[in-house]
Amino acid sequence: MAFNCRLNKNITLNNTTEEGLTTGCGSSAVATGGIRERIYVYNIDDIQNLMFENDMRYDNNLVVETIITQGNYYYIDCTSVEYNEAKDNKLYTHTLTLTLANITTEFEDILNDASNNRYLVAFRPNGEDNYRIFGWKHGADLTYELNITSDAGEYSVTFSDESEYPLMAAYSDNFKLDTKIFTPIFRPLYDIAFCETNTDGTNTGYVIASYVVKTNSAGLAIDSDNKLCSLSGKPQDAYRFENVGDGGYNILGTYTETASFDGQPVKIFDVNICKPNAKGTISISPTSVVFDSTTTDSTLNLTTDNSWKAINIPNTVYIGSTSGTGNASISMVSNNMGGDGELTFRNTKTYEEVNVSVSTYILSVEEEQVYPAGTQYIMIVPDVQGGDGTYDYNVTSGSQYITSITKNDEGNLVVALNVQKNETSEINITLSHHSYPTESKNVHIIIQGINDKPIWSLVSRYCETE
């Protein structure tokens, strides 16, 4: 790809069709086509570097192949926009002014995200595939104000930057992160590691990485398709040391302590992580805990001669202590959120670690449901968390009142009824978590008869009478 041209005039918003527009300096696309909505911005603190086309410097190539960032972009939808560029001596002044009908949640996120209110800004001229960016390296300043007119109030937002860098181009796939294919980098995780020990159990000072993970150049996790895990939902690719578990990664293979990846050895000498001559052990019981709606707490018994700390706590639980010295009984309580996770404790002297797997299965549903006479269909809406997120059902009584029972596309239970209007009908259906059948709920359904007095019926059911 090539940088078509420097913009030689101010351009404004134009969302008309791009069909028939040409590209290049002085083309109708740049001169009259204007700017395409929407505008993208990055928090400048998230930008780690710009990788230019063909690995060249910006003074030889103004096309950015990859924006190396540790955070995603924001976008702004606007009703009008105008870009201006001026040059004085060796400095370029970039100004992008937008009009917004209102301040959206996304825009509030932009304001809250950047501590110094400075940004890398991108927009796309009509007729071009690439975007234009400014704000590198110090970031464009943002100001905004409310303009009240006789018709309505609008917000005027201005990004401005005075910089030695001219307006640059950036590949459009930087703004299509859900489909962007990244160049993978393999990085040993020394902070999740083993300490090499002597025959007497003391540390040698060498650290062996437990995992080597696949990331992009910004250190963000990428999957087997070299896409961002945060957007694909797939696990991160990784290699593991020969004597550790999968750790939630998609394991590509194993390695020994002599291995290296992309020139980085898995074994390094680091006395800050593995203090030489440190000796001690750590163990914990139980190593596996299961929670559900009724079992919501557990006690972990940690045994060690040294100090310890919790280095990983799943978001499904709370623990009573996160650090200490010597043996400890640690309370763990479910936060009633389904899912699987791993709780990790580390001996802070030897860096040896122990893990507790935590699985939580939750099935919640309205257990007592009352409907008026003549009801022909009812819907049971369960909330299933943890495991595979599905449930099974069984009609335990009142099946004679049911003509059909099915799950719809949303996973809700649709029950078609055939009941006599002059009598009360009762049905019991048991729902159980597919991955953990112990987690179950009974749904008691009452269809009022036409001759019943619903209020008194409910009073007699739930209240004592003399």
Side-chain angles (χ1 to χ4, degrees):
M1 294 184 181
F3 192 14
N4 294 326
C5 64
R6 300 275 183 89
L7 298 184
N8 54 15
K9 64 174 293 179
N10 301 334
I11 55 177
T12 58
L13 181 67
N14 186 341
N15 278 326
T16 56
T17 177
E18 294 179 277
E19 196 173 324
L21 295 175
T22 58
T23 59
C25 294
S27 71
S28 61
V30 174
T32 63
I35 297 174
R36 300 291 294 178
E37 194 181 13
R38 55 187 32 156
I39 308 302
Y40 293 93
V41 297
Y42 290 92
N43 175 3
I44 195 63
D45 295 332
D46 289 336
I47 304 297
Q48 297 175 313
N49 209 343
L50 301 181
M51 183 180 295
F52 290 89
E53 193 177 50
N54 302 321
D55 290 329
M56 300 179 72
R57 285 174 46 85
Y58 81 91
D59 48 3
N60 293 317
N61 189 328
L62 289 173
V63 180
V64 176
E65 181 178 295
T66 301
I67 299 173
I68 302 176
T69 173
Q70 61 186 1
N72 292 337
Y73 53 74
Y74 297 97
Y75 64 83
I76 304 174
D77 291 321
C78 52
T79 57
S80 68
V81 58
E82 180 178 358
Y83 170 77
N84 295 281
E85 178 183 302
K87 185 180 180 183
D88 182 13
N89 229 353
K90 294 183 179 181
L91 292 179
Y92 295 87
T93 299
H94 308 280
T95 305
L96 190 74
T97 302
L98 309 90
T99 301
L100 281 63
N102 53 64
I103 296 295
T104 63
T105 301
E106 289 78 10
F107 187 75
E108 289 180 346
D109 289 341
I110 296 170
L111 297 177
N112 295 332
D113 189 47
S115 57
N116 296 317
N117 235 27
R118 303 195 72 83
Y119 308 87
L120 184 76
V121 184
F123 63 89
R124 186 168 72 89
N126 235 334
E128 290 198 12
D129 292 330
N130 289 345
Y131 282 73
R132 301 300 177 96
I133 64 172
F134 66 90
W136 179 251
K137 289 183 175 181
H138 304 294
D141 184 53
L142 179 149
T143 58
Y144 70 100
E145 60 182 7
L146 175 62
N147 298 320
I148 302 295
T149 66
S150 58
D151 298 324
E154 292 185 321
Y155 291 86
S156 176
V157 178
T158 300
F159 293 94
S160 58
D161 178 42
E162 188 176 74
S163 170
E164 61 184 291
Y165 299 96
L167 193 67
M168 302 176 185
Y171 282 11
S172 61
D173 63 0
N174 284 290
F175 307 96
K176 302 173 183 177
L177 293 182
D178 55 336
T179 58
K180 181 176 174 62
I181 305 298
F182 291 88
T183 301
I185 296 172
F186 286 94
R187 183 170 61 90
L189 294 183
Y190 301 115
D191 54 341
I192 304 178
F194 285 96
C195 293
E196 183 186 62
T197 58
N198 298 304
T199 55
D200 63 356
T202 58
N203 287 337
T204 64
Y206 279 95
V207 182
I208 304 172
S210 298
Y211 302 97
V212 176
V213 296
K214 186 163 73 171
T215 72
N216 64 4
S217 54
L220 301 178
I222 55 177
D223 61 22
S224 56
D225 298 320
N226 292 334
K227 296 181 180 180
L228 289 178
C229 296
S230 60
L231 297 177
S232 72
K234 293 183 177 180
Q236 184 179 15
D237 278 359
Y239 290 88
R240 65 174 176 84
F241 189 48
E242 56 187 353
N243 62 345
V244 301
D246 290 352
Y249 297 105
N250 178 45
I251 299 299
L252 303 176
T254 61
Y255 56 86
T256 65
E257 64 181 62
T258 60
S260 63
F261 292 81
D262 291 339
Q264 298 182 78
V266 299
K267 178 180 176 181
I268 62 172
F269 187 77
D270 191 326
V271 296
N272 292 317
I273 298 178
C274 292
K275 301 173 183 177
N277 302 321
K279 186 176 182 179
T281 60
I282 187 171
S283 62
I284 198 164
S285 176
T287 57
S288 178
V289 175
V290 176
F291 290 129
D292 57 22
S293 294
T294 56
T295 304
T296 58
D297 61 89
S298 180
T299 299
L300 305 174
N301 297 305
L302 185 144
T303 304
T304 181
D305 295 329
N306 308 124
S307 58
W308 56 270
K309 68 177 180 179
I311 63 170
N312 183 64
I313 304 172
N315 62 1
T316 56
V317 297
Y318 302 101
I319 61 173
S321 302
T322 58
S323 61
T325 301
N327 300 340
S329 293
I330 304 168
S331 62
M332 179 168 60
V333 179
S334 168
N335 66 8
N336 203 38
M337 178 188 297
D340 298 319
E342 197 167 62
L343 179 60
T344 303
F345 294 92
R346 173 183 288 171
N347 183 321
T348 57
K349 188 173 183 181
T350 65
Y351 273 73
E352 183 184 357
E353 296 172 2
V354 289
N355 299 310
V356 179
S357 65
V358 182
S359 297
T360 308
Y361 304 96
I362 301 294
L363 189 155
S364 57
V365 67
E366 185 179 352
E367 297 182 62
E368 192 82 12
Q369 303 186 16
V370 180
Y371 296 91
T375 299
Q376 295 181 331
Y377 291 92
I378 63 173
M379 182 180 294
I380 300 173
V381 184
D383 180 20
V384 186
Q385 300 179 33
D388 62 7
T390 64
Y391 66 95
D392 301 309
Y393 61 90
N394 179 43
V395 180
T396 58
S397 67
S399 58
Q400 68 271 26
Y401 303 123
I402 298 175
T403 58
S404 68
I405 180 169
T406 57
K407 286 184 183 179
N408 63 15
D409 292 341
E410 287 74 37
N412 301 322
L413 205 58
V414 180
V415 184
L417 302 172
N418 181 20
V419 298
Q420 298 297 319
K421 291 185 178 181
N422 61 350
E423 64 181 25
T424 295
S425 307
E426 299 191 27
I427 303 169
N428 286 284
I429 303 176
T430 299
L431 308 185
S432 57
H433 200 299
H434 181 74
S435 301
Y436 190 68
T438 302
E439 172 69 358
S440 63
K441 296 291 190 320
N442 180 68
V443 180
H444 183 205
I445 301 166
I446 302 168
I447 310 298
Q448 295 283 346
I450 197 169
N451 296 322
D452 289 342
K453 296 179 180 178
I455 295 177
W456 288 108
S457 175
L458 290 176
V459 169
S460 64
R461 179 173 297 278
Y462 296 109
C463 304
E464 294 183 2
T465 57
E466 294 183 355

